[in-house]
Amino acid sequence: MKLTRLALAGAIALLLSAAAFAQNVIRPVPSPDLSNLSKAEAAQLVEMRAEFDRSKMTMVGEPLAKAYSLLASSYAQAGLYDAADVALANAIVVTPEDARWIYLRGMLARMRNQTAQANELLEQALRLDRKYLPIRIAVIEGRLTAGDVEGARQIAEQAGAEGKNNASLAALRGRIALRQRRHADALSAINEALRLDPAADQLYAVQADIFAAQGNTANANTARAKAGTTAVRQLDTLLAGFLGARAITMPVAGQAAPAAGGSGSDDALSKARFLIGVQQFEDARVPLDQALRSKPNDSGLLGLSARIEALLGNRSLATTRANEAVRLSPNDAAALVTRGVVAETGGDEAAAQADYEKAIGLSPSLTEARLLLGNRYMRLNRYAAAAEQYRQLIKLEPKVAEHLGRLAAAQVADGRCTEALRDLEPALPKPDATEPRPYVKQIYVRVVSTCRGAADAQHKVASGYADELYRRRPAPPVVEAIALAHAARGNFTVAKEMQGSAIFAAVRDGGTEAAEPFREFFKKFETGQMPDRPWPADNSFFKPARLQPQPSRPAPTATAPAPRQN
């Protein structure tokens, strides 16, 4: 099928058949009934939702997915699981290859006793992320519950280095071996779990079952007498941060047990990092302050605290802690980056630049420093210098496709689009590659289409990519890239229709404001003009924003809980 015909059919499909993509589009997150919550908790959720609704139109990609996960976390902690599930589903639509949101949605489904959906999501998460051990453990538990004991054993044995010295995994191996009547292996695994977590006296009940199966009644009775209610501790920072206090009631393998174990500053720091990752900065203060009380002279903790205070607008405290972190560790490049972040967030970009440059001199592999410095150079219109930082980023993180977009934007802004194409082509996947890298292909289509120096052979490759991308997932940015490919061949009528369908889909998925970035090219196509840049002029690749404090939020009113309705 020719691309023109496919594009026109697709434009009509987007306008008339949105329901056909119901599982792959953003759905409105329902506003749940808050009448059973305390007044303070309800007020917090109302404010959180209002803040989300105000800010979501300005975000795309990972920031938008994190915003949805933050909203889901707030609802889940209040026990509003239906709304939380929709929010997590939207995070998955925005970043479908991010295992975190799939895992959390799977665990949420487990909490709602939706066993089949939970197992399906958890298996999907494991396919995407085989390193985060709690995902593997959840899949093993799911397979055991479903009766797939051999499948559970295979996943347990594939844990690799991540599974070494982990009491939860050892305990699961013991349970698997017991069900397979491999009693010696079962006993060995349970003993290992007890060695790793001596307080987990629930394991003595499993040990007793093993002895009983071996016919060793005396040892079985002795073990059963030791059995208690303390489960194996499993540090799951992702789930613990998402569920907060409710994590302690999270079902594990069909029984109530803590989902997050451990104690002290390390656990507090892990939780703080999760909360920071999903932009719950005020909530992150509590576990971080706990960690700082244990280690007041830890430059890393001081730096992390400085970043939070800077984001919350507490510039004075942030600067004090960032300076103290550098004083304690003057040759620590990470401390310098943090001081730079605090300075940039406070508006002193020159000081931030100096710290980023010094940090890179000390540690050239610091990706955050290179990204922030490259963005600073872009704001200064120093495009060649920015391109060099982005080029180094690509070497350090070759799988992050956004770095390729940043490099291409810097080169295009510097008048070097043909050089941008030469740098892009080695990153394009080979025909037999297991990773299709659709975003890299989209970047290539955009740059080829808008570069006057692009060769005919490059246009031919870009046309094939455009066809493939549309079949794969016709999201608005993909449709815009295809519209550019049509416009590059002079097909402005088709380009306008495609861009119109992208605007429609953006409005459908995110409201009127979400469509604004697509209007610049639509106006050009209407008048038969070819854009000279791969992205609109205000795109963050061309105009990366300075780090800013988060909008201030009023403190929740400290009111007494409202009486619950019976």
Side-chain angles (χ1 to χ4, degrees), residues 299 303 307 322-323 325-327 329-344 351-363 366 368-369 372:
S299 62
R307 287 175 180 251
N323 286 336
V326 173
R327 187 191 69 80
S329 303
N331 294 317
D332 184 350
L336 287 167
V337 175
T338 288
R339 191 171 69 176
V341 166
V342 169
E344 180 177 335
Q353 178 182 333
D355 275 337
Y356 299 152
E357 289 171 340
K358 185 175 180 180
I360 290 170
L362 289 170
S363 180
L366 278 179
E368 182 187 21
L372 292 171

PDB file of all heavy atoms in Angstrom, residues 299 303 307 322-323 325-327 329-344 351-363 366 368-369 372:
ATOM      1  N   SER A 299      27.537  13.669  52.676  1.00  0.00           N
ATOM      2  CA  SER A 299      27.413  14.686  51.620  1.00  0.00           C
ATOM      3  C   SER A 299      26.350  14.304  50.594  1.00  0.00           C
ATOM      4  O   SER A 299      25.688  15.176  50.024  1.00  0.00           O
ATOM      5  CB  SER A 299      28.765  14.897  50.930  1.00  0.00           C
ATOM      6  OG  SER A 299      29.207  13.702  50.300  1.00  0.00           O
ATOM      7  N   GLY A 303      23.211  16.608  49.754  1.00  0.00           N
ATOM      8  CA  GLY A 303      22.956  17.031  48.381  1.00  0.00           C
ATOM      9  C   GLY A 303      21.546  16.713  47.933  1.00  0.00           C
ATOM     10  O   GLY A 303      20.889  17.532  47.281  1.00  0.00           O
ATOM     11  N   ARG A 307      18.624  19.395  46.842  1.00  0.00           N
ATOM     12  CA  ARG A 307      17.834  19.381  45.612  1.00  0.00           C
ATOM     13  C   ARG A 307      16.332  19.521  45.911  1.00  0.00           C
ATOM     14  O   ARG A 307      15.615  20.244  45.216  1.00  0.00           O
ATOM     15  CB  ARG A 307      18.092  18.076  44.843  1.00  0.00           C
ATOM     16  CG  ARG A 307      19.445  18.011  44.172  1.00  0.00           C
ATOM     17  CD  ARG A 307      19.674  16.650  43.540  1.00  0.00           C
ATOM     18  NE  ARG A 307      20.959  16.541  42.897  1.00  0.00           N
ATOM     19  CZ  ARG A 307      21.162  16.494  41.576  1.00  0.00           C
ATOM     20  NH1 ARG A 307      20.129  16.572  40.764  1.00  0.00           N
ATOM     21  NH2 ARG A 307      22.368  16.385  41.074  1.00  0.00           N
ATOM     22  N   ALA A 322      23.790  22.462  49.966  1.00  0.00           N
ATOM     23  CA  ALA A 322      24.623  22.147  48.804  1.00  0.00           C
ATOM     24  C   ALA A 322      26.067  22.568  49.046  1.00  0.00           C
ATOM     25  O   ALA A 322      27.014  21.826  48.715  1.00  0.00           O
ATOM     26  CB  ALA A 322      24.067  22.846  47.569  1.00  0.00           C
ATOM     27  N   ASN A 323      26.262  23.748  49.632  1.00  0.00           N
ATOM     28  CA  ASN A 323      27.620  24.208  49.945  1.00  0.00           C
ATOM     29  C   ASN A 323      28.279  23.299  50.976  1.00  0.00           C
ATOM     30  O   ASN A 323      29.483  23.011  50.892  1.00  0.00           O
ATOM     31  CB  ASN A 323      27.587  25.644  50.460  1.00  0.00           C
ATOM     32  CG  ASN A 323      27.326  26.649  49.350  1.00  0.00           C
ATOM     33  OD1 ASN A 323      27.596  26.376  48.180  1.00  0.00           O
ATOM     34  ND2 ASN A 323      26.803  27.812  49.706  1.00  0.00           N
ATOM     35  N   ALA A 325      27.669  20.125  51.413  1.00  0.00           N
ATOM     36  CA  ALA A 325      28.014  18.873  50.740  1.00  0.00           C
ATOM     37  C   ALA A 325      29.333  19.009  49.994  1.00  0.00           C
ATOM     38  O   ALA A 325      30.185  18.110  50.028  1.00  0.00           O
ATOM     39  CB  ALA A 325      26.896  18.468  49.783  1.00  0.00           C
ATOM     40  N   VAL A 326      29.531  20.158  49.324  1.00  0.00           N
ATOM     41  CA  VAL A 326      30.787  20.381  48.605  1.00  0.00           C
ATOM     42  C   VAL A 326      31.939  20.554  49.584  1.00  0.00           C
ATOM     43  O   VAL A 326      33.056  20.082  49.346  1.00  0.00           O
ATOM     44  CB  VAL A 326      30.663  21.604  47.679  1.00  0.00           C
ATOM     45  CG1 VAL A 326      32.015  21.947  47.047  1.00  0.00           C
ATOM     46  CG2 VAL A 326      29.634  21.336  46.573  1.00  0.00           C
ATOM     47  N   ARG A 327      31.697  21.224  50.718  1.00  0.00           N
ATOM     48  CA  ARG A 327      32.753  21.386  51.723  1.00  0.00           C
ATOM     49  C   ARG A 327      33.220  20.029  52.248  1.00  0.00           C
ATOM     50  O   ARG A 327      34.423  19.785  52.433  1.00  0.00           O
ATOM     51  CB  ARG A 327      32.249  22.246  52.884  1.00  0.00           C
ATOM     52  CG  ARG A 327      33.352  22.601  53.902  1.00  0.00           C
ATOM     53  CD  ARG A 327      32.776  23.216  55.149  1.00  0.00           C
ATOM     54  NE  ARG A 327      32.010  22.253  55.939  1.00  0.00           N
ATOM     55  CZ  ARG A 327      32.537  21.354  56.762  1.00  0.00           C
ATOM     56  NH1 ARG A 327      33.861  21.256  56.874  1.00  0.00           N
ATOM     57  NH2 ARG A 327      31.769  20.520  57.441  1.00  0.00           N
ATOM     58  N   SER A 329      32.928  17.141  50.691  1.00  0.00           N
ATOM     59  CA  SER A 329      33.498  16.321  49.608  1.00  0.00           C
ATOM     60  C   SER A 329      33.884  17.240  48.445  1.00  0.00           C
ATOM     61  O   SER A 329      33.209  17.268  47.405  1.00  0.00           O
ATOM     62  CB  SER A 329      32.486  15.267  49.151  1.00  0.00           C
ATOM     63  OG  SER A 329      32.076  14.447  50.222  1.00  0.00           O
ATOM     64  N   PRO A 330      34.970  18.005  48.593  1.00  0.00           N
ATOM     65  CA  PRO A 330      35.300  19.022  47.581  1.00  0.00           C
ATOM     66  C   PRO A 330      35.649  18.462  46.214  1.00  0.00           C
ATOM     67  O   PRO A 330      35.534  19.174  45.217  1.00  0.00           O
ATOM     68  CB  PRO A 330      36.505  19.748  48.207  1.00  0.00           C
ATOM     69  CG  PRO A 330      37.071  18.786  49.204  1.00  0.00           C
ATOM     70  CD  PRO A 330      35.913  18.005  49.728  1.00  0.00           C
ATOM     71  N   ASN A 331      36.067  17.210  46.148  1.00  0.00           N
ATOM     72  CA  ASN A 331      36.419  16.618  44.854  1.00  0.00           C
ATOM     73  C   ASN A 331      35.369  15.636  44.354  1.00  0.00           C
ATOM     74  O   ASN A 331      35.635  14.835  43.462  1.00  0.00           O
ATOM     75  CB  ASN A 331      37.775  15.919  44.963  1.00  0.00           C
ATOM     76  CG  ASN A 331      38.909  16.899  45.213  1.00  0.00           C
ATOM     77  OD1 ASN A 331      38.961  17.963  44.592  1.00  0.00           O
ATOM     78  ND2 ASN A 331      39.811  16.548  46.121  1.00  0.00           N
ATOM     79  N   ASP A 332      34.189  15.710  44.948  1.00  0.00           N
ATOM     80  CA  ASP A 332      33.084  14.841  44.545  1.00  0.00           C
ATOM     81  C   ASP A 332      32.304  15.543  43.431  1.00  0.00           C
ATOM     82  O   ASP A 332      31.644  16.562  43.660  1.00  0.00           O
ATOM     83  CB  ASP A 332      32.182  14.558  45.739  1.00  0.00           C
ATOM     84  CG  ASP A 332      31.065  13.576  45.401  1.00  0.00           C
ATOM     85  OD1 ASP A 332      30.887  13.266  44.207  1.00  0.00           O
ATOM     86  OD2 ASP A 332      30.377  13.131  46.327  1.00  0.00           O
ATOM     87  N   ALA A 333      32.403  15.005  42.231  1.00  0.00           N
ATOM     88  CA  ALA A 333      31.740  15.637  41.090  1.00  0.00           C
ATOM     89  C   ALA A 333      30.228  15.704  41.288  1.00  0.00           C
ATOM     90  O   ALA A 333      29.581  16.673  40.886  1.00  0.00           O
ATOM     91  CB  ALA A 333      32.071  14.872  39.812  1.00  0.00           C
ATOM     92  N   ALA A 334      29.659  14.667  41.917  1.00  0.00           N
ATOM     93  CA  ALA A 334      28.206  14.656  42.123  1.00  0.00           C
ATOM     94  C   ALA A 334      27.769  15.809  43.029  1.00  0.00           C
ATOM     95  O   ALA A 334      26.706  16.413  42.813  1.00  0.00           O
ATOM     96  CB  ALA A 334      27.774  13.321  42.715  1.00  0.00           C
ATOM     97  N   ALA A 335      28.591  16.125  44.041  1.00  0.00           N
ATOM     98  CA  ALA A 335      28.257  17.252  44.924  1.00  0.00           C
ATOM     99  C   ALA A 335      28.290  18.567  44.152  1.00  0.00           C
ATOM    100  O   ALA A 335      27.456  19.459  44.378  1.00  0.00           O
ATOM    101  CB  ALA A 335      29.230  17.291  46.102  1.00  0.00           C
ATOM    102  N   LEU A 336      29.230  18.698  43.235  1.00  0.00           N
ATOM    103  CA  LEU A 336      29.285  19.905  42.413  1.00  0.00           C
ATOM    104  C   LEU A 336      28.074  20.025  41.501  1.00  0.00           C
ATOM    105  O   LEU A 336      27.528  21.112  41.318  1.00  0.00           O
ATOM    106  CB  LEU A 336      30.577  19.900  41.577  1.00  0.00           C
ATOM    107  CG  LEU A 336      31.876  20.172  42.342  1.00  0.00           C
ATOM    108  CD1 LEU A 336      33.078  19.825  41.488  1.00  0.00           C
ATOM    109  CD2 LEU A 336      31.930  21.631  42.776  1.00  0.00           C
ATOM    110  N   VAL A 337      27.652  18.892  40.936  1.00  0.00           N
ATOM    111  CA  VAL A 337      26.456  18.928  40.095  1.00  0.00           C
ATOM    112  C   VAL A 337      25.249  19.376  40.909  1.00  0.00           C
ATOM    113  O   VAL A 337      24.436  20.189  40.463  1.00  0.00           O
ATOM    114  CB  VAL A 337      26.193  17.556  39.447  1.00  0.00           C
ATOM    115  CG1 VAL A 337      24.882  17.571  38.667  1.00  0.00           C
ATOM    116  CG2 VAL A 337      27.324  17.176  38.522  1.00  0.00           C
ATOM    117  N   THR A 338      25.134  18.846  42.119  1.00  0.00           N
ATOM    118  CA  THR A 338      24.012  19.240  42.981  1.00  0.00           C
ATOM    119  C   THR A 338      24.053  20.729  43.272  1.00  0.00           C
ATOM    120  O   THR A 338      23.019  21.410  43.211  1.00  0.00           O
ATOM    121  CB  THR A 338      24.054  18.444  44.291  1.00  0.00           C
ATOM    122  OG1 THR A 338      23.684  17.099  44.013  1.00  0.00           O
ATOM    123  CG2 THR A 338      23.093  19.022  45.313  1.00  0.00           C
ATOM    124  N   ARG A 339      25.234  21.259  43.577  1.00  0.00           N
ATOM    125  CA  ARG A 339      25.328  22.699  43.823  1.00  0.00           C
ATOM    126  C   ARG A 339      24.944  23.476  42.567  1.00  0.00           C
ATOM    127  O   ARG A 339      24.299  24.532  42.654  1.00  0.00           O
ATOM    128  CB  ARG A 339      26.736  23.081  44.282  1.00  0.00           C
ATOM    129  CG  ARG A 339      26.813  24.524  44.801  1.00  0.00           C
ATOM    130  CD  ARG A 339      28.142  24.810  45.449  1.00  0.00           C
ATOM    131  NE  ARG A 339      29.239  24.834  44.471  1.00  0.00           N
ATOM    132  CZ  ARG A 339      30.501  25.133  44.767  1.00  0.00           C
ATOM    133  NH1 ARG A 339      30.835  25.389  46.026  1.00  0.00           N
ATOM    134  NH2 ARG A 339      31.434  25.136  43.834  1.00  0.00           N
ATOM    135  N   GLY A 340      25.311  22.950  41.406  1.00  0.00           N
ATOM    136  CA  GLY A 340      24.901  23.582  40.157  1.00  0.00           C
ATOM    137  C   GLY A 340      23.393  23.541  39.962  1.00  0.00           C
ATOM    138  O   GLY A 340      22.785  24.522  39.522  1.00  0.00           O
ATOM    139  N   VAL A 341      22.787  22.413  40.288  1.00  0.00           N
ATOM    140  CA  VAL A 341      21.334  22.292  40.173  1.00  0.00           C
ATOM    141  C   VAL A 341      20.643  23.304  41.074  1.00  0.00           C
ATOM    142  O   VAL A 341      19.667  23.959  40.680  1.00  0.00           O
ATOM    143  CB  VAL A 341      20.892  20.849  40.524  1.00  0.00           C
ATOM    144  CG1 VAL A 341      19.391  20.774  40.754  1.00  0.00           C
ATOM    145  CG2 VAL A 341      21.313  19.889  39.427  1.00  0.00           C
ATOM    146  N   VAL A 342      21.133  23.439  42.302  1.00  0.00           N
ATOM    147  CA  VAL A 342      20.553  24.405  43.234  1.00  0.00           C
ATOM    148  C   VAL A 342      20.699  25.826  42.689  1.00  0.00           C
ATOM    149  O   VAL A 342      19.759  26.633  42.734  1.00  0.00           O
ATOM    150  CB  VAL A 342      21.214  24.269  44.624  1.00  0.00           C
ATOM    151  CG1 VAL A 342      20.813  25.429  45.531  1.00  0.00           C
ATOM    152  CG2 VAL A 342      20.826  22.938  45.257  1.00  0.00           C
ATOM    153  N   ALA A 343      21.885  26.130  42.137  1.00  0.00           N
ATOM    154  CA  ALA A 343      22.103  27.467  41.580  1.00  0.00           C
ATOM    155  C   ALA A 343      21.188  27.723  40.385  1.00  0.00           C
ATOM    156  O   ALA A 343      20.580  28.796  40.266  1.00  0.00           O
ATOM    157  CB  ALA A 343      23.567  27.626  41.177  1.00  0.00           C
ATOM    158  N   GLU A 344      21.084  26.746  39.482  1.00  0.00           N
ATOM    159  CA  GLU A 344      20.224  26.926  38.313  1.00  0.00           C
ATOM    160  C   GLU A 344      18.765  27.089  38.709  1.00  0.00           C
ATOM    161  O   GLU A 344      18.051  27.942  38.183  1.00  0.00           O
ATOM    162  CB  GLU A 344      20.378  25.744  37.351  1.00  0.00           C
ATOM    163  CG  GLU A 344      19.513  25.875  36.103  1.00  0.00           C
ATOM    164  CD  GLU A 344      19.702  24.743  35.111  1.00  0.00           C
ATOM    165  OE1 GLU A 344      20.783  24.120  35.116  1.00  0.00           O
ATOM    166  OE2 GLU A 344      18.764  24.487  34.323  1.00  0.00           O
ATOM    167  N   ALA A 351      26.675  30.500  37.660  1.00  0.00           N
ATOM    168  CA  ALA A 351      27.290  29.669  38.700  1.00  0.00           C
ATOM    169  C   ALA A 351      27.030  28.197  38.432  1.00  0.00           C
ATOM    170  O   ALA A 351      27.913  27.346  38.633  1.00  0.00           O
ATOM    171  CB  ALA A 351      26.741  30.061  40.075  1.00  0.00           C
ATOM    172  N   ALA A 352      25.826  27.879  37.991  1.00  0.00           N
ATOM    173  CA  ALA A 352      25.498  26.490  37.676  1.00  0.00           C
ATOM    174  C   ALA A 352      26.401  25.971  36.570  1.00  0.00           C
ATOM    175  O   ALA A 352      26.949  24.863  36.657  1.00  0.00           O
ATOM    176  CB  ALA A 352      24.037  26.380  37.266  1.00  0.00           C
ATOM    177  N   GLN A 353      26.582  26.769  35.523  1.00  0.00           N
ATOM    178  CA  GLN A 353      27.435  26.363  34.409  1.00  0.00           C
ATOM    179  C   GLN A 353      28.851  26.070  34.877  1.00  0.00           C
ATOM    180  O   GLN A 353      29.463  25.063  34.476  1.00  0.00           O
ATOM    181  CB  GLN A 353      27.449  27.454  33.345  1.00  0.00           C
ATOM    182  CG  GLN A 353      28.346  27.149  32.154  1.00  0.00           C
ATOM    183  CD  GLN A 353      28.358  28.279  31.141  1.00  0.00           C
ATOM    184  OE1 GLN A 353      27.402  29.044  31.031  1.00  0.00           O
ATOM    185  NE2 GLN A 353      29.443  28.403  30.406  1.00  0.00           N
ATOM    186  N   ALA A 354      29.374  26.920  35.741  1.00  0.00           N
ATOM    187  CA  ALA A 354      30.738  26.713  36.243  1.00  0.00           C
ATOM    188  C   ALA A 354      30.848  25.392  36.997  1.00  0.00           C
ATOM    189  O   ALA A 354      31.836  24.652  36.847  1.00  0.00           O
ATOM    190  CB  ALA A 354      31.140  27.880  37.144  1.00  0.00           C
ATOM    191  N   ASP A 355      29.827  25.068  37.810  1.00  0.00           N
ATOM    192  CA  ASP A 355      29.864  23.807  38.549  1.00  0.00           C
ATOM    193  C   ASP A 355      29.733  22.607  37.624  1.00  0.00           C
ATOM    194  O   ASP A 355      30.399  21.577  37.821  1.00  0.00           O
ATOM    195  CB  ASP A 355      28.752  23.795  39.602  1.00  0.00           C
ATOM    196  CG  ASP A 355      29.173  24.471  40.905  1.00  0.00           C
ATOM    197  OD1 ASP A 355      30.385  24.552  41.162  1.00  0.00           O
ATOM    198  OD2 ASP A 355      28.286  24.916  41.654  1.00  0.00           O
ATOM    199  N   TYR A 356      28.874  22.711  36.617  1.00  0.00           N
ATOM    200  CA  TYR A 356      28.716  21.595  35.677  1.00  0.00           C
ATOM    201  C   TYR A 356      30.031  21.338  34.943  1.00  0.00           C
ATOM    202  O   TYR A 356      30.457  20.186  34.776  1.00  0.00           O
ATOM    203  CB  TYR A 356      27.614  21.888  34.658  1.00  0.00           C
ATOM    204  CG  TYR A 356      26.237  22.103  35.246  1.00  0.00           C
ATOM    205  CD1 TYR A 356      25.298  22.908  34.590  1.00  0.00           C
ATOM    206  CD2 TYR A 356      25.857  21.505  36.444  1.00  0.00           C
ATOM    207  CE1 TYR A 356      24.036  23.110  35.113  1.00  0.00           C
ATOM    208  CE2 TYR A 356      24.591  21.701  36.973  1.00  0.00           C
ATOM    209  CZ  TYR A 356      23.686  22.518  36.301  1.00  0.00           C
ATOM    210  OH  TYR A 356      22.424  22.717  36.825  1.00  0.00           O
ATOM    211  N   GLU A 357      30.674  22.406  34.492  1.00  0.00           N
ATOM    212  CA  GLU A 357      31.923  22.251  33.750  1.00  0.00           C
ATOM    213  C   GLU A 357      33.017  21.652  34.641  1.00  0.00           C
ATOM    214  O   GLU A 357      33.783  20.783  34.205  1.00  0.00           O
ATOM    215  CB  GLU A 357      32.364  23.614  33.201  1.00  0.00           C
ATOM    216  CG  GLU A 357      31.458  24.103  32.065  1.00  0.00           C
ATOM    217  CD  GLU A 357      31.741  25.534  31.648  1.00  0.00           C
ATOM    218  OE1 GLU A 357      32.347  26.281  32.451  1.00  0.00           O
ATOM    219  OE2 GLU A 357      31.345  25.912  30.527  1.00  0.00           O
ATOM    220  N   LYS A 358      33.085  22.100  35.889  1.00  0.00           N
ATOM    221  CA  LYS A 358      34.094  21.562  36.806  1.00  0.00           C
ATOM    222  C   LYS A 358      33.804  20.095  37.110  1.00  0.00           C
ATOM    223  O   LYS A 358      34.725  19.266  37.168  1.00  0.00           O
ATOM    224  CB  LYS A 358      34.107  22.378  38.097  1.00  0.00           C
ATOM    225  CG  LYS A 358      35.225  21.965  39.059  1.00  0.00           C
ATOM    226  CD  LYS A 358      35.276  22.872  40.281  1.00  0.00           C
ATOM    227  CE  LYS A 358      36.389  22.446  41.235  1.00  0.00           C
ATOM    228  NZ  LYS A 358      36.440  23.322  42.441  1.00  0.00           N
ATOM    229  N   ALA A 359      32.523  19.759  37.287  1.00  0.00           N
ATOM    230  CA  ALA A 359      32.155  18.375  37.579  1.00  0.00           C
ATOM    231  C   ALA A 359      32.529  17.453  36.433  1.00  0.00           C
ATOM    232  O   ALA A 359      33.055  16.350  36.644  1.00  0.00           O
ATOM    233  CB  ALA A 359      30.656  18.292  37.863  1.00  0.00           C
ATOM    234  N   ILE A 360      32.292  17.894  35.211  1.00  0.00           N
ATOM    235  CA  ILE A 360      32.637  17.071  34.051  1.00  0.00           C
ATOM    236  C   ILE A 360      34.147  16.907  33.948  1.00  0.00           C
ATOM    237  O   ILE A 360      34.656  15.840  33.567  1.00  0.00           O
ATOM    238  CB  ILE A 360      32.058  17.704  32.767  1.00  0.00           C
ATOM    239  CG1 ILE A 360      30.525  17.577  32.782  1.00  0.00           C
ATOM    240  CG2 ILE A 360      32.631  17.039  31.517  1.00  0.00           C
ATOM    241  CD1 ILE A 360      29.831  18.358  31.693  1.00  0.00           C
ATOM    242  N   GLY A 361      34.889  17.965  34.324  1.00  0.00           N
ATOM    243  CA  GLY A 361      36.342  17.842  34.347  1.00  0.00           C
ATOM    244  C   GLY A 361      36.813  16.774  35.317  1.00  0.00           C
ATOM    245  O   GLY A 361      37.785  16.057  35.054  1.00  0.00           O
ATOM    246  N   LEU A 362      36.122  16.652  36.453  1.00  0.00           N
ATOM    247  CA  LEU A 362      36.479  15.642  37.446  1.00  0.00           C
ATOM    248  C   LEU A 362      35.984  14.258  37.053  1.00  0.00           C
ATOM    249  O   LEU A 362      36.645  13.246  37.320  1.00  0.00           O
ATOM    250  CB  LEU A 362      35.887  16.022  38.811  1.00  0.00           C
ATOM    251  CG  LEU A 362      36.529  17.212  39.524  1.00  0.00           C
ATOM    252  CD1 LEU A 362      35.687  17.610  40.737  1.00  0.00           C
ATOM    253  CD2 LEU A 362      37.946  16.870  39.959  1.00  0.00           C
ATOM    254  N   SER A 363      34.803  14.204  36.459  1.00  0.00           N
ATOM    255  CA  SER A 363      34.194  12.912  36.114  1.00  0.00           C
ATOM    256  C   SER A 363      33.466  13.040  34.776  1.00  0.00           C
ATOM    257  O   SER A 363      32.288  13.400  34.740  1.00  0.00           O
ATOM    258  CB  SER A 363      33.211  12.486  37.220  1.00  0.00           C
ATOM    259  OG  SER A 363      32.621  11.244  36.909  1.00  0.00           O
ATOM    260  N   LEU A 366      29.632  11.790  33.902  1.00  0.00           N
ATOM    261  CA  LEU A 366      28.424  12.266  34.590  1.00  0.00           C
ATOM    262  C   LEU A 366      27.387  12.710  33.562  1.00  0.00           C
ATOM    263  O   LEU A 366      27.479  13.804  33.001  1.00  0.00           O
ATOM    264  CB  LEU A 366      28.763  13.419  35.534  1.00  0.00           C
ATOM    265  CG  LEU A 366      29.319  13.049  36.908  1.00  0.00           C
ATOM    266  CD1 LEU A 366      29.610  14.302  37.705  1.00  0.00           C
ATOM    267  CD2 LEU A 366      28.332  12.176  37.666  1.00  0.00           C
ATOM    268  N   GLU A 368      24.164  13.504  33.949  1.00  0.00           N
ATOM    269  CA  GLU A 368      23.300  14.615  34.336  1.00  0.00           C
ATOM    270  C   GLU A 368      23.999  15.947  34.075  1.00  0.00           C
ATOM    271  O   GLU A 368      23.385  16.896  33.559  1.00  0.00           O
ATOM    272  CB  GLU A 368      22.910  14.503  35.804  1.00  0.00           C
ATOM    273  CG  GLU A 368      21.968  15.623  36.247  1.00  0.00           C
ATOM    274  CD  GLU A 368      21.698  15.628  37.738  1.00  0.00           C
ATOM    275  OE1 GLU A 368      22.505  15.052  38.495  1.00  0.00           O
ATOM    276  OE2 GLU A 368      20.682  16.223  38.158  1.00  0.00           O
ATOM    277  N   ALA A 369      25.279  16.037  34.429  1.00  0.00           N
ATOM    278  CA  ALA A 369      26.012  17.281  34.220  1.00  0.00           C
ATOM    279  C   ALA A 369      26.092  17.626  32.743  1.00  0.00           C
ATOM    280  O   ALA A 369      25.922  18.788  32.343  1.00  0.00           O
ATOM    281  CB  ALA A 369      27.417  17.165  34.811  1.00  0.00           C
ATOM    282  N   LEU A 372      22.584  18.872  31.536  1.00  0.00           N
ATOM    283  CA  LEU A 372      22.270  20.218  32.016  1.00  0.00           C
ATOM    284  C   LEU A 372      23.180  21.266  31.376  1.00  0.00           C
ATOM    285  O   LEU A 372      22.725  22.378  31.061  1.00  0.00           O
ATOM    286  CB  LEU A 372      22.395  20.259  33.540  1.00  0.00           C
ATOM    287  CG  LEU A 372      21.342  19.448  34.299  1.00  0.00           C
ATOM    288  CD1 LEU A 372      21.686  19.385  35.787  1.00  0.00           C
ATOM    289  CD2 LEU A 372      19.952  20.047  34.108  1.00  0.00           C
TER     290      LEU A 372
END
